[in-house]
């Protein structure tokens, strides 16, 4: 699953990270690696904290791409915080990166799982 996740981050990170002038080119790979690990750890955290129903909700309809979905929101907030603290990105830039990637990645992951 981590390999698939990493591939999706590379795929969707092009617009959100590589073409983002607010992120220095030398940080592109590290930011995308952080996105992969942040999403994976966020999903694991949901399961360990009893959020299985949140994850199950992602499989109903097209909720994985819905930014108001609680699981999508939680992962987006986590990645936003991680990008801000680890790379010094402003909240606006970090949240833009997270919002530009998380729904697309989860939507694709869920689509492949179905």
């Amino acid at each position: 699953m981590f390999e698939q996740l990493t591939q999706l981050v590379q795929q969707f990170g092009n617009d959100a990270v590589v073409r983002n002038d607010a992120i220095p080119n030398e940080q592109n790979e590290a930011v995308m690696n952080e996105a992969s690990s942040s999403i994976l750890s966020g999903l694991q955290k949901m399961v360990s904290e009893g959020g299985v129903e949140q994850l199950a909700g992602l499989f109903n309809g097209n909720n994985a791409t819905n930014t108001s979905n609680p699981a999508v929101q939680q992962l987006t907030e986590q990645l936003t915080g991680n990008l801000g603290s680890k790379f010094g990105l402003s909240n606006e830039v970090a949240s833009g990166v997270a919002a530009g990637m998380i729904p697309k990645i989860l939507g694709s992951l869920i689509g492949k799982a179905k």
Side-chain angles (χ1 to χ4, degrees):
M1 180 175 158
F2 187 74
E3 186 176 310
Q4 284 181 326
L5 180 62
T6 301
Q7 289 171 352
L8 292 172
V9 168
Q10 294 293 325
Q11 178 183 340
F12 296 116
N14 196 40
D15 286 331
V17 178
V18 177
R19 294 186 183 155
N20 190 333
D21 292 336
I23 300 172
N25 288 337
E26 61 272 7
Q27 289 184 334
N28 287 346
E29 186 175 339
V31 168
M32 288 197 277
N33 288 340
E34 180 59 36
S36 295
S37 62
S38 185
I39 293 168
L40 188 60
S41 67
L43 292 171
Q44 291 170 335
K45 182 178 177 185
M46 277 184 225
V47 171
S48 71
E49 292 178 350
V52 176
E53 64 281 346
Q54 276 186 317
L55 291 177
L58 290 174
F59 288 91
N60 297 328
N62 291 321
N63 287 336
T65 59
N66 185 344
T67 56
S68 64
N69 179 294
V72 174
Q73 286 179 339
Q74 185 175 339
L75 292 171
T76 300
E77 289 170 10
Q78 180 177 332
L79 179 56
T80 298
N82 290 350
L83 293 177
S85 66
K86 293 182 180 180
F87 299 99
L89 300 177
S90 71
N91 191 55
E92 183 180 341
V93 171
S95 65
V97 169
M101 292 176 68
I102 301 281
K104 292 175 185 176
I105 291 167
L106 288 179
S108 190
L109 261 181
I110 300 301
K112 290 180 183 200
K114 286 182 177 181

